[in-house]
Amino acid sequence: MSAALFFKRFLQRPMQVASIVPSSKVLIDKVAGKFDFSVPRTIAEFGPGEGCHTREIVRRMHPDSRLLLFELDPELANHLRHSFRNDPRVSVLNTDAAELPKELAALGIQYCDYVVSGIPFSTMEIGKKRKLLQRIHESLAPNAQSAFIIYQVTNELRGHAKLFPRVKSEYCLQNIPPMFITVFFRQALNGASHNGHSHVNGNVNGNGNGNGNGNGSHRH
């Protein structure tokens, strides 16, 4: 049922829903593997859609974690509220991702540990894209582990996310369509601070090209 809902909303709002089908199990596992769930975390997810990534995050995260779901589509937001109605760790916000700092403040939360997103940044107007990146950056806790994690068809966001000093990417072929998974870290680690020069297992170079066989850890 949820996959059918996802396909329906893609047909109705193709510029908001990044893919025609939910993410593969391989992609979901790779994205979830980018988090450290060993301690309580505050996580924001942009564009969770029908919730396939959300379910895996919820399954893995610490009992004292918080998960904020930013879903602009009202029908999908209602679906998520119903799906996670019995989990007090999950809050569904039917609002724009750019409201992240405001929503955190309203909840009395200073910072996120992670922001994860499958929304199609490549279709955004450049000013809106960079404004959202600024909001994400200021909302992440100022430490080397905090990160913005995306899964996208292209890796063009690397060229805009210069606020983030450390970046790692890998390519997941086992998805329709194949996806780049990119992690933008809030702070540098041991002085490695050049955006575009870090990589995971030799997967992706600074131009966003690669052959993708990394071990890291989409829209829906």
Side-chain angles (χ1 to χ4, degrees):
M1 178 63 72
S2 59
L5 172 62
F6 179 76
F7 180 66
K8 170 188 169 185
R9 300 312 280 172
F10 173 82
L11 294 177
Q12 294 171 337
R13 299 176 180 232
M15 298 301 288
Q16 283 185 19
V17 181
S19 174
I20 198 168
V21 293
S23 294
S24 69
K25 181 66 165 60
V26 173
L27 180 62
I28 292 167
D29 286 343
K30 284 182 177 288
V31 171
K34 300 298 185 187
F35 298 79
D36 176 4
F37 292 110
S38 63
V39 297
R41 302 293 189 189
T42 297
I43 302 166
E45 183 181 4
F46 296 164
E50 58 82 31
C52 67
H53 285 272
T54 312
R55 288 189 290 275
E56 186 62 20
I57 292 169
V58 167
R59 188 183 72 81
R60 297 189 187 201
M61 72 183 187
H62 191 280
D64 296 323
S65 289
R66 292 289 305 273
L67 177 60
L68 312 180
L69 305 179
F70 287 76
E71 178 51 64
L72 202 54
D73 186 295
E75 188 169 350
L76 289 171
N78 285 334
H79 170 78
L80 292 165
R81 288 190 186 100
H82 179 76
S83 297
F84 299 103
R85 64 192 181 281
N86 296 321
D87 194 330
R89 301 173 299 171
V90 181
S91 300
V92 181
L93 306 169
N94 182 208
T95 190
D96 194 280
E99 298 298 316
L100 174 61
K102 177 182 173 182
E103 295 295 341
L104 287 173
L107 293 167
I109 300 171
Q110 187 175 13
Y111 294 116
C112 287
D113 297 292
Y114 298 103
V115 175
V116 59
S117 176
I119 61 176
F121 273 83
S122 62
T123 66
M124 282 186 195
E125 186 272 325
I126 191 167
K128 181 177 181 181
K129 183 180 335 200
R130 291 180 176 174
K131 181 179 179 180
L132 181 52
L133 287 169
Q134 175 67 49
R135 297 277 174 87
I136 294 167
H137 187 269
E138 69 187 49
S139 298
L140 286 168
N143 61 60
Q145 289 72 43
S146 297
F148 171 43
I149 302 163
I150 64 166
Y151 46 97
Q152 305 273 282
V153 173
T154 76
N155 212 10
E156 61 90 27
L157 198 60
R158 288 183 73 136
H160 301 282
K162 300 301 184 181
L163 286 166
F164 298 87
R166 188 162 52 99
V167 184
K168 294 183 178 181
S169 294
E170 67 172 294
Y171 197 49
C172 179
L173 286 167
Q174 301 95 336
N175 192 73
I176 302 174
M179 290 274 175
F180 287 94
I181 306 165
T182 304
V183 183
F184 297 92
F185 292 95
R186 173 66 171 77
Q187 289 190 346
L189 182 65
N190 297 327
S193 60
H194 295 287
N195 182 333
H197 292 286
S198 296
H199 62 278
V200 168
N201 296 328
N203 297 342
V204 182
N205 63 31
N207 297 320
N209 300 314
N211 54 17
N213 57 3
N215 300 324
S217 282
H218 174 222
R219 169 84 179 222
H220 330 300

